[in-house]
Each structure stands twice: as C-alpha cells, then as structure tokens.
Amino acid sequence: MITLIAASALIFTTVDHHDQPGHDGNHHAQTEASSTVAAEVRTADADGRTAVVSHEALTELGMSAMTMRFSVAETVDFDLFQPGAHLMITVVNTADGFQIADAELSHH
C-alpha cells in the first residue's frame, strides 16, 4: 500500500503541465496570434529598436487602426523603418507587449 501511494505521488510530481491549455509557459511561438497589415512609419528609434507607425486594423489581435509605438524584433531589418516609409508589417502579441515580428517595403 505504501509503495502504491509513493508511486502515485511520483506520477503527480512528474506531470508536465507546459502543454495544458491556459499555461503561460515559454511556448508562445506555437500559439502567438499575429496580424499582417499595411503601415506607415512616423518615427524610428534605432537605439531602442522601436518605431511609431500608423497601421490598419490588427483584426486578429483585436486592435483598431491607429498610430502607436511598437518594439521591433531583432530579426527585422531596422533600416526599413525610415519616416514616411510604407511597409507591410506582421505584429505579434508577446509577453512583453505588441512587437513587429516581420516587415517589408509595401508596393502600394
């Protein structure tokens, strides 16, 4: 009986809860919502890797069209972020807030 109780306790302590719904672990890449829209760069801060952009509605993220500051992922070419530039941006909602995860020049 004691062995059965000990075995049950071991099973409960080794269950990996990371894949259960609602767990806020480090699995953001698998479930991260994103939205790709047209945007115009207003200002850019290369040192802080942030940009203020006017963007279309980010429907998948539940955000209307507006002008706001975003952080820009390290993997994105920051040289694209020149004031007045028209871009197609992909925005994700990360644990640290909204971030531009991809960008390319728009051919509007």
Side-chain angles (χ1 to χ4, degrees):
M1 180 72 169
I2 293 174
T3 303
L4 181 59
I5 293 171
S8 296
L10 182 60
I11 289 169
F12 287 121
T13 59
T14 59
V15 172
D16 182 5
H17 297 283
H18 293 288
D19 295 323
Q20 292 187 6
H23 178 73
D24 193 26
N26 294 324
H27 296 280
H28 296 290
Q30 295 172 357
T31 59
E32 220 169 52
S34 68
S35 192
T36 301
V37 297
E40 182 180 349
V41 178
R42 300 296 184 180
T43 64
D45 173 13
D47 292 334
R49 287 198 66 86
T50 62
V52 174
V53 301
S54 294
H55 62 80
E56 295 177 340
L58 301 171
T59 309
E60 294 84 356
L61 300 175
M63 185 183 299
S64 59
M66 66 180 72
T67 300
M68 66 179 286
R69 180 178 312 277
F70 289 97
S71 65
V72 179
E74 293 290 332
T75 55
V76 176
D77 179 4
F78 200 84
D79 290 339
L80 295 172
F81 291 84
Q82 301 298 319
H86 292 269
L87 305 175
M88 288 300 293
I89 60 171
T90 299
V91 177
V92 295
N93 189 2
T94 71
D96 296 326
F98 293 103
Q99 181 179 64
I100 297 174
D102 193 27
E104 62 183 49
L105 285 175
S106 175
H107 306 291
H108 67 277

